[in-house]
Amino acid sequence: MKLTECDKAMGKVYNEHKAANGGHKTAPKGKYGFKTIQFKVEDTEGTVHGPFLGRGSALKAYKEIKLAGKPTAGVKFIVEEVFRHKAKDKTPTVDRQLGIFEVK
């Protein structure tokens, strides 16, 4: 996919997630936390940047990879639904991947 196609695909996943949760990015999931969506960027060396709470931050990470002179063909945008605990000391857990979009 071209970068613009990846951006549109991530936007579509984000909007579908919000629609499924009553127009909100986050939704309650039991009394111990909530589910939300996050973005990660994996460069061609396998380094994962993120997680980011917004698509714009993921695109900014892509731009930083490009500005560093690294190859951008093969960079992947990963969209995940995560469970965030109310307790701050607990690490969020990935419930499922919503999409992986690779830049060609």
Side-chain angles (χ1 to χ4, degrees):
M1 301 177 116
K2 294 181 181 175
L3 179 61
T4 55
E5 294 170 328
C6 289
D7 183 30
K8 286 179 185 176
M10 288 190 295
K12 182 179 178 189
V13 169
Y14 176 80
N15 289 333
E16 288 171 355
H17 175 80
K18 279 182 64 174
N21 293 298
H24 301 284
K25 183 179 175 183
T26 61
K29 188 176 177 185
K31 62 181 179 179
Y32 299 108
F34 59 94
K35 66 179 178 175
T36 190
I37 195 169
Q38 71 181 12
F39 301 85
K40 293 180 182 175
V41 180
E42 183 179 332
D43 65 26
T44 55
E45 297 170 352
T47 304
V48 176
H49 306 264
F52 306 107
L53 297 178
R55 191 170 91 235
S57 297
L59 293 169
K60 182 179 177 188
Y62 173 85
K63 185 177 181 180
E64 289 170 0
I65 291 167
K66 186 175 181 178
L67 290 173
K70 295 182 180 180
T72 55
V75 169
K76 297 175 188 165
F77 292 95
I78 304 163
V79 186
E80 300 170 326
E81 184 179 84
V82 296
F83 174 71
R84 293 196 179 273
H85 301 271
K86 287 184 180 178
K88 301 289 184 194
D89 60 337
K90 292 193 176 183
T91 305
T93 54
V94 176
D95 281 351
R96 62 190 173 121
Q97 276 192 344
L98 301 176
I100 298 176
F101 308 103
E102 185 173 337
V103 178
K104 299 279 182 188

